[in-house]
Amino acid sequence: MRHRCRSDAAEVAELLITELVTNALVHTEQGAEVSASLASARLRVEVRDYASRRPLPYVPTADDGTHGRGLVLVQALADAWGVDVVEPGRGKVVWFELDGGLA
């Protein structure tokens, strides 16, 4: 990705990917699939897991340590993001998009 994106966009994308994959692995215990695409000047990353419950961002308290910041980071750093249900009972895709990602 670094050879096709600006370095700052690649760093943000890497951070957000690790947050979404970590969420999928920690909260679903069923694995995850990651896909990314570059179109025009927009990077889109999708992380699919196999649990249907929707993730809910929350503002962590000081007692949470480093837990609970993944979706807050996605909200703050992505130009767009969302959750799409694949099929009822078949999982979901949490995605984000970054504008201006091409070098």
Side-chain angles (χ1 to χ4, degrees):
M1 181 171 22
R2 286 193 181 276
H3 68 280
R4 297 208 36 211
C5 294
R6 291 187 338 261
S7 62
D8 60 330
E11 290 171 6
V12 170
E14 289 172 4
L15 171 65
L16 299 184
I17 291 166
T18 59
E19 293 296 336
L20 293 184
V21 169
T22 299
N23 282 353
L25 297 177
V26 168
H27 297 292
T28 70
E29 300 176 357
Q30 297 176 9
E33 297 174 13
V34 179
S35 64
S37 60
L38 284 169
S40 298
R42 183 166 272 232
L43 170 67
R44 181 179 176 99
V45 175
E46 299 178 347
V47 177
R48 179 183 180 183
D49 65 48
Y50 297 91
S52 296
R53 68 183 177 279
R54 297 176 66 85
L56 298 172
Y58 74 97
V59 177
T61 66
D63 295 337
D64 286 336
T66 60
H67 175 72
R69 290 170 174 75
L71 287 179
V72 173
L73 286 171
V74 173
Q75 282 181 320
L77 298 174
D79 293 301
W81 80 281
V83 180
D84 299 327
V85 175
V86 175
E87 289 178 32
R90 305 274 301 167
K92 65 183 170 299
V93 173
V94 182
W95 58 269
F96 69 85
E97 295 179 346
L98 299 174
D99 290 331
L102 293 178

